[in-house]
Amino acid sequence: MELWFTEQQTPDLGFTCKITKTIYTAKTQYQDLAILETKQFGRMLVLDGAVQTTIADEFCYHELISHVPLFTHPNPKKVAVIGGGDGGVIREILKHDEVEKAYLIEIDREVIEASKKYLPEISCALDDERAEVVITDGIKFVSENKNMFDVIIVDSTDPVGPAVGLFQDSFYKAVFECLKEDGLFVAQTESPFYDQDLIKNVFHAVKSIFPITRLYLGFIPTYPSGLWSFTLGSKKYDPLEVDISKIKRIDTKYYNPELHKALFALPTFVQEIIK
Ligand code: SAM
């Protein structure tokens, strides 16, 4: 018998792939968690029915959300990830030698435990001595810490359940306060095809707080529409002013110095969203 998993990406559209094995399922305090073995993408982490990451395409998302901010800041020593329990962003952050400490601020311990057990390719850096895991609500953590980080990366689930507050104006104000005086942050901000109101609202909220606000795009095959947006807010450094000849070559499959500025070149329909 064939087994298929479908994520209902919109009320009228599903993303379906063939499952060879259900490896693990759990109902955590915060969400339904599943690790599936898919034919097309290898192992897949699913939370509340939404694909979070897969072995085959995780590099697209994790590299884009990490290396753009880290190569925009000239000396990122202290970095925080809000969410990101699979550990993929921490793995990418620790490719930067100048990073002294990378904090993972994740609300759901069980996501980390399942990722460590079943997705070692992604979670492999979580036990690194430069990584520190803090189990708490990212909203609380950010509002309780001031002037602490060079870079904050918001690797959240979609804006439902505990992640709703990670897309609100008050959170971006707290992120501003939590960053050092020349700090910057980036957040995943969903699909320019299906989430135009969200992108518009987040962009304008960030723009009202940070002197520099930029939107960039990447391609992530398993996310709704494939086209994905990231919103960057910065107190001082502009990703478009980076001298790309000075960007160090690190081991990546998607990000490279030539792409750094090109990612910010937006199709006309996306320019319209943030106008
Ligand atoms: N890359 C994925 C995506 O875009 O779909 C997100 C991956 S990561 C698994 C998302 C994590 O955010 C989840 O593990 C979830 O538990 C965590 N999360 C959601 N709300 C949170 C909050 N308020 N504070 C900290 N972590 C949160």
Side-chain angles (χ1 to χ4, degrees), residues 28-57:
T28 78
Q29 189 186 339
Y30 299 99
Q31 50 214 340
D32 287 329
L33 186 163
I35 309 271
L36 307 174
E37 185 73 51
T38 73
K39 195 101 176 138
Q40 188 73 48
F41 295 101
R43 289 195 177 178
M44 173 184 271
L45 171 65
V46 181
L47 293 176
D48 285 341
V51 178
Q52 302 295 304
T53 194
T54 79
I55 296 298
D57 75 340

Side-chain angles (χ1 to χ4, degrees), residues 238-257:
D238 187 340
L240 298 179
E241 301 291 322
V242 168
D243 179 352
I244 59 167
S245 68
K246 297 213 169 89
I247 293 179
K248 269 189 256 162
R249 291 272 166 186
I250 53 169
D251 179 23
T252 53
K253 289 195 275 186
Y254 194 125
Y255 178 88
N256 57 46

Side-chain angles (χ1 to χ4, degrees), residues 31 52 61 83-84 86 105-107 111 137-138 155-157 162-163 223:
Q31 50 214 340
Q52 302 295 304
Y61 176 86
D86 52 70
I105 316 300
E106 164 64 59
I107 202 167
V111 175
D137 187 332
D155 177 15
S156 67
T157 36
Y223 285 3

